[in-house]
Amino acid sequence: MQIIDGKETARKIKEEIGAEVESIVTTGLRRPHLAAVLVGHDGGSETYVAYKIKDCGEVGFRSSLIRFEDDVAQDTLFEKIDELNRDPELDGFIVQLPLPDHINEQTVIESIDPSKDVDGFHPVNVGRTVIGLPSFVSATPYGIVELIKRYRIETEGKHCVIVGRSNIVGRPLSILMSQKSVNATVTVAHSRTRDLEELCATADILVAALGSPGFVKAHMVKEGAVVIDVGTTRVPSSETKSGFRLMGDVLFDEVAPKCSFITPVPGGVGPMTRVALLSNTLKAARKNIRY
Ligand code: GUN
């Protein structure tokens, strides 16, 4: 059994991105530039955005943080998005979600120029991914496929069962895993799937992305399977200073001995999702995608 080290893989990718940034700058081009729009003061969003800005600094990107109070008028936000769409000095930007109730998130996502949508949330990027065109792919599916590739995990003809059909994880991952470069046979399972436990036990690659701590138990995993755990639920803990710990969707201790590869929580998929934004921003800066 091999533990997939997402933290170390993310560190390596950041190093690669950093080296590429330096070569871009050396040739006289400007630094890749990412902006983050943060509305309000939600604790989780503040933390995520702070990490994104820090990550940019670590790879040599320029970054900008644009803040609005949570009573910002929808039109004010759209005016800013318009300005960012047209800014030639900016390669990509994200609008941190969730947004306050009076702002329509889907309309915000669709107002971002797809060529600057480094979150990969715009329907144009989702659609391009579906038909195999160059696109920005959302962070978690990118991170999972990158881990599978870098660990040289055999995917050709394998049965990949994805539990969870969210727009940002399960569904886009199912598209990537069935593409010709991966060639897995994919089943997307969800809360209404019949005989879910038996189905999971048929998986060569099992991806748990349902947000239910400890859902996947040993009897649901085939001997030698690859298990990817996307769950990151905060559960109370007496063993940490914060009083919480992160718990995955997989009961790691009992499942790990049956696996060929498994991602831990924390330190598996999580660190890779942060790197995805950097990778997409570099792609945007290189103008690798023609719309
Ligand atoms: N909120 C939680 N995760 C994300 C993300 O990946 N992008 C944005 N924009 N908001 C988020």
Side-chain angles (χ1 to χ4, degrees):
M1 183 271 295
Q2 193 176 349
I3 292 179
I4 297 176
D5 189 342
K7 201 171 161 191
E8 174 56 18
T9 309
R11 191 195 59 74
K12 267 195 222 137
I13 297 175
K14 270 161 88 172
E15 221 170 74
E16 291 163 14
I17 294 174
E20 196 158 341
V21 171
E22 286 325 299
S23 88
I24 289 173
V25 174
T26 308
T27 59
L29 298 169
R30 66 166 174 73
R31 283 184 187 278
H33 180 195
L34 173 75
V37 177
L38 176 58
V39 179
H41 299 273
D42 172 80
S45 294
E46 292 268 4
T47 307
Y48 292 137
V49 168
Y51 278 138
K52 288 170 187 179
I53 300 288
K54 178 170 169 273
D55 289 342
C56 282
E58 283 176 12
V59 296
F61 288 177
R62 182 180 157 198
S63 63
S64 303
L65 172 58
I66 297 141
R67 306 191 71 121
F68 292 103
E69 290 304 317
D70 52 18
D71 60 352
V72 63
Q74 193 159 249
D75 281 351
T76 308
L77 186 58
F78 285 130
E79 276 163 28
K80 177 51 79 176
I81 291 172
D82 211 36
E83 187 188 314
L84 298 176
N85 282 338
R86 285 184 282 103
D87 183 350
E89 302 281 298
L90 182 68
D91 298 299
F93 66 99
I94 62 130
V95 178
Q96 187 66 27
L97 306 176
L99 291 167
D101 288 348
H102 69 285
I103 297 173
N104 184 316
E105 280 186 1
Q106 192 57 29
T107 314
V108 166
I109 289 168
E110 290 183 34
S111 70
I112 297 172
D113 181 331
S115 70
K116 290 193 175 181
D117 166 41
V118 286
D119 260 331
F121 289 170
H122 194 289
V124 165
N125 278 312
V126 179
R128 288 177 66 99
T129 304
V130 170
I131 59 175
L133 291 174
S135 60
F136 296 118
V137 175
S138 59
T140 306
Y142 162 90
I144 293 170
V145 171
E146 201 59 31
L147 283 176
I148 287 173
K149 284 186 181 159
R150 286 182 182 243
Y151 274 81
R152 300 181 186 280
I153 291 171
E154 185 61 63
T155 54
E156 183 88 16
K158 301 288 184 188
H159 184 205
C160 174
V161 174
I162 301 170
V163 188
R165 57 181 158 184
S166 71
N167 285 343
I168 59 171
V169 184
R171 205 179 299 279
L173 181 64
S174 72
I175 300 299
L176 296 181
M177 292 300 289
S178 68
Q179 273 172 352
K180 285 203 167 153
S181 56
V182 182
N183 279 326
T185 303
V186 181
T187 303
V188 180
H190 45 78
S191 54
R192 303 292 172 91
T193 298
R194 246 188 297 141
D195 303 325
L196 179 56
E197 298 198 353
E198 290 79 359
L199 176 69
C200 288
T202 70
D204 301 307
I205 303 170
L206 177 62
V207 181
L210 69 164
S212 173
F215 177 84
V216 175
K217 297 168 188 70
H219 71 274
M220 296 160 65
V221 176
K222 185 163 81 175
E223 202 65 48
V226 176
V227 173
I228 308 287
D229 189 350
V230 184
T232 49
T233 308
R234 267 162 53 113
V235 297
S237 169
S238 55
E239 285 157 31
T240 62
K241 247 195 290 176
S242 64
F244 289 97
R245 68 185 175 94
L246 280 189
M247 188 167 172
D249 288 346
V250 176
L251 270 188
F252 186 90
D253 289 347
E254 66 171 61
V255 169
K258 296 185 83 175
C259 298
S260 54
F261 292 90
I262 185 167
T263 61
V265 175
V269 174
M272 293 295 290
T273 63
R274 273 170 68 181
V275 152
L277 184 61
L278 301 175
S279 170
N280 277 343
T281 304
L282 183 61
K283 223 170 172 180
R286 287 208 229 92
K287 305 282 180 282
N288 273 3
I289 302 171
R290 298 264 169 259
Y291 286 87

